[in-house]
Amino acid sequence: MTIVNDPELRARANEAAVSAMLASQPVLVDVLPALDALPGMTPRTILTSGAPLPWAAYDGGQRRAIIGAALYEGLARTPEGADALLHAGEIVVAACHDHGCVGSVTGATSASMPVLVLEDLRSGRRGHCLVYEGSDRERLTYGVWNDKVHRQLIWIREVLAPRLASALRAAGGIPVSPIIRRALGMGDDLHSRNTAATAVLFGQLVEPMVDANGFDKHTREALEFIRDNDLFFLHLGMAAAKCVADAGAGSPGSSIVTAMAISEKEFSIRVAGTGSRWFRAPIPTLHAKLFDGITPDEIAFMGGESLITETVGLGGLSAAAAPSLQDYSGGTAARMVETTQTMYSITHTEHPLWKIPYLGFRGVPFGIDAGLVASSGVTPRIHMGASRREGGHAGAGLLIAPLAPFVEAIDALDPEGAPSRAASLH
Amino acid sequence: MTIVNDPELRARANEAAVSAMLASQPVLVDVLPALDALPGMTPRTILTSGAPLPWAAYDGGQRRAIIGAALYEGLARTPEGADALLHAGEIVVAACHDHGCVGSVTGATSASMPVLVLEDLRSGRRGHCLVYEGSDRERLTYGVWNDKVHRQLIWIREVLAPRLASALRAAGGIPVSPIIRRALGMGDDLHSRNTAATAVLFGQLVEPMVDANGFDKHTREALEFIRDNDLFFLHLGMAAAKCVADAGAGSPGSSIVTAMAISEKEFSIRVAGTGSRWFRAPIPTLHAKLFDGITPDEIAFMGGESLITETVGLGGLSAAAAPSLQDYSGGTAARMVETTQTMYSITHTEHPLWKIPYLGFRGVPFGIDAGLVASSGVTPRIHMGASRREGGHAGAGLLIAPLAPFVEAIDALDPEGAPSRAASLH
């Protein structure tokens, strides 16, 4: 592994990874059933967020969501029946990230659920994510399965997805990077806040949506759903970020982070030089602002891969762009500016197009370098949603990533240097 | 005039004026020909921006625009013919502000031109402004009259205005204050930048526009025009601000500013306690960033009443909300924050709903008090467009209002105190 012991070679590998990521041009081209869109997907596979765990390890929201997805697909008739099939491996649980996909919170994604298809114009590489489920606190996304959740998933599959798909074909696809660029200038961080991005997307969707579908009751419902859900764009941004991050994956020797994800139990990362290997650690405390009536003891993690937005410089890394989120992220706008400024110390470069007005149009911190994280001890700042143990959306806050996975990743890239790094950390 | 010599009575009068302004709830209810909408309008009246001047005093862009409007209305067949009728008083030039209207730049407004009708839900008071003319540098707004300008004005009258009017009737009106509130959280100052406000408005217009008109070629053109012109909302905001400012007008003894406007020659203000009287001064230098290829010696004033946005706490007063404008307004985002912070020293209160995220959601500085301006020497900071002497949009910048009109207004409210104020200023 001589390549990784040489700082100059590491720098070159990181430059290659980041250049490939920056060259990605994700375009929203279609909406398709997960079975048709995702590589390796089967009718009996259920994808979920985070580095995968044995089925028995899922005992909270992710478990409920995966069982819900099994019932939604008709793979079992009762939760107990689904549980037995999952134990027996007759329903397979797999990681979203291993199937070209990213999941929001639980990320429970099954065969017939429609996914957004983002394609990198340059490489043809695709990234996917479920269509946003709506703003109801009770969602499969947030570990809830009931009749109302079921009806909403059917509406998305039968009404929203086909209309969106035909609109996208009429439009010839919608490039996502320019929308992100514009939204950063309009107060979005593109993780916890997607208000502007959704409004810009809506403007681009109206004509092709009506052209392709006419202006009937269902078109109207679809347009209203997109317009009225400020976070609608989040899942597009996530799938686009998956496209971008995957472009850097597999660069030998590179310490650039290509994924960050959580499950119920763990925070995990991948780096470009070690492919699909996960580096794992327990999840730290989320500093959250909770909805009225919800107390901190009610909160529990149930997975999440929206951290892919931070992986490409958005979300917490772009905190300075979104002062409206101050109550959820540090308390003041000044703290959010500091957050972004700190992130430049652990990133490889600045994005040439995605810029933050408040910082004199400086590009967002881009390309988290696990080497810089490991040597400085500064870890990524992440904006993320909070969930209730019993299910449901509970608020949002700031997560400070744990240091261990970054150190482990560097140790894996450079086993010979590991002992001296360990000594210097103690 | 004992009422004005007593600081407590002045404070009470100002409180009354500002309370009335804050109670105003402007709703976009219709689009009508100026002749039908504006009080005192006649087929031979042409309104223009600023405190009125004798016809002979108009020798630049305002002159060209007024003559253009006369030709557009068919009141004359040649510019020379129009000029003769204007000299003879057979075509009457009047101030927008005296007819319930505000004008952008030249503000040339004639009988058949469609105006946005904003109605205060509480009082029934109305404010008006022309429909936005488009983003072409050559516009009647910017002192240009030619065939292309003529065709665009006809398209607005024949295509855009009727479709917008029928959409508004279908929608039952669109309240404007919530859009302003939302846009301040999305990086707009609502004067030089209306990107977010236009996107939010677009979202609210689509359904009623298609419901009322079907989705034909012209509806499509109208929707594209609104979506693609980031400044479309400006004229709505101006008319809404006129509604709000007029609510404060005529409060005896009050030194709250109810209008700021410029003509080719003068910067002028009105205050609540002196009704329609203008206090005038020469226009100071505009610190502008010009479009590529345009030099400072090409710039000339040709009127403008978009300063009504500053009159209600937006634009330059809300600079801190719109860091994207930094190149046009002080050079850095930090300077824009300082600008807004300074404005709190000359305003009566903070708006309870219109808030600036970067300032910890502090309300925008609201209700410019000419008394505070006169005593501190700090004058309003104004974001405004730059125009070429020969016509056309040339850029945008920051105008620092002259002090004299504010001092004169206070002298008019309190003639007995004038000599001592004059002494203390020297």
Side-chain angles (χ1 to χ4, degrees), chain B residues 18-30 100 102 116-129 168 172-181 190 201 204 233-248 308-309 312 314 351-354 366:
Chain B
V18 168
S19 297
M21 290 163 76
L22 288 174
S24 178
Q25 294 174 42
V27 177
L28 175 62
V29 291
D30 209 342
V102 278
L116 303 163
V117 181
L118 275 285
E119 181 170 307
D120 172 13
L121 270 193
R122 260 181 92 259
S123 67
R125 182 183 293 104
R126 289 181 161 199
H128 309 84
C129 184
L168 291 170
I174 293 182
V176 171
S177 178
I179 299 180
I180 293 173
R181 183 189 63 72
L190 279 308
L201 174 72
Q204 298 187 18
F233 188 86
L234 172 60
H235 291 213
L236 264 77
M238 288 169 59
K242 171 71 171 161
C243 256
V244 170
D246 276 0
I308 194 74
T309 57
V312 301
L314 304 171
H351 198 288
L353 298 173
W354 300 349
F366 188 86

Side-chain angles (χ1 to χ4, degrees), chain B residues 68-381:
Chain B
L71 296 171
Y72 167 82
E73 294 293 341
L75 299 175
R77 298 174 73 176
T78 63
E80 297 71 24
D83 182 36
L85 291 168
L86 283 154
H87 259 295
E90 292 178 33
I91 299 174
V92 177
V93 175
C96 290
H97 263 291
D98 287 331
H99 295 267
C101 190
V102 278
S104 177
V105 196
T106 63
T109 303
S110 59
S112 75
M113 294 182 186
V115 294
L116 303 163
V117 181
L118 275 285
E119 181 170 307
D120 172 13
L121 270 193
R122 260 181 92 259
S123 67
R125 182 183 293 104
R126 289 181 161 199
H128 309 84
C129 184
L130 286 178
V131 176
Y132 181 70
E133 195 182 341
S135 58
D136 200 290
R137 286 192 195 178
E138 297 195 339
R139 289 173 249 171
L140 197 68
T141 303
Y142 276 95
V144 179
W145 171 255
N146 60 32
D147 284 350
K148 198 168 141 217
V149 169
H150 193 179
R151 280 195 302 274
Q152 174 70 0
L153 291 176
I154 291 171
W155 179 83
I156 288 173
R157 189 184 67 203
E158 302 299 325
V159 175
L160 178 59
R163 270 158 187 77
L164 197 48
S166 53
L168 291 170
R169 284 181 219 122
I174 293 182
V176 171
S177 178
I179 299 180
I180 293 173
R181 183 189 63 72
R182 204 162 152 82
L184 283 167
M186 297 169 74
D188 282 359
D189 73 327
L190 279 308
H191 187 169
S192 283
R193 187 171 166 96
N194 282 267
T195 305
T198 300
V200 173
L201 174 72
F202 178 84
Q204 298 187 18
L205 271 176
V206 167
E207 276 197 55
M209 180 80 92
V210 180
D211 277 341
N213 303 292
F215 196 61
D216 66 358
K217 173 172 172 286
H218 284 156
T219 302
R220 197 181 292 254
E221 284 175 12
L223 284 172
E224 285 173 358
F225 181 84
I226 296 168
R227 183 194 63 187
D228 296 342
N229 279 296
D230 286 346
L231 282 169
F232 182 84
F233 188 86
L234 172 60
H235 291 213
L236 264 77
M238 288 169 59
K242 171 71 171 161
C243 256
V244 170
D246 276 0
S251 304
S254 167
S255 55
I256 298 298
V257 174
T258 52
M260 299 193 289
I262 67 170
S263 64
E264 285 179 6
K265 304 289 165 63
E266 293 172 330
F267 176 99
S268 310
I269 69 162
R270 285 173 168 174
V271 296
T274 55
S276 60
R277 178 167 167 193
W278 291 105
F279 301 95
R280 307 170 183 233
I283 314 173
T285 304
L286 175 70
H287 307 275
K289 179 176 158 66
L290 303 177
F291 296 145
D292 282 348
I294 296 176
T295 54
D297 58 296
E298 293 177 67
I299 300 308
F301 287 104
M302 50 180 69
E305 297 179 335
S306 48
L307 296 64
I308 194 74
T309 57
E310 274 82 6
T311 309
V312 301
L314 304 171
L317 273 71
S318 290
S324 288
L325 293 173
Q326 62 198 267
D327 292 345
Y328 302 90
S329 176
T332 66
R335 290 291 294 278
M336 299 185 77
V337 169
E338 282 169 31
T339 296
T340 293
Q341 278 165 339
T342 305
M343 293 296 95
Y344 288 108
S345 69
I346 58 167
T347 43
H348 184 81
T349 189
E350 299 169 14
H351 198 288
L353 298 173
W354 300 349
K355 295 180 176 184
I356 301 179
Y358 192 77
L359 301 183
F361 300 108
R362 189 172 180 186
V364 306
F366 188 86
I368 298 167
D369 180 351
L372 294 172
V373 173
S375 61
S376 67
V378 173
T379 62
R381 268 52 179 168

Side-chain angles (χ1 to χ4, degrees), chain B residues 409-421:
Chain B
I410 295 303
D411 289 349
L413 283 169
D414 173 20
E416 289 169 32
S420 68
R421 269 192 307 279

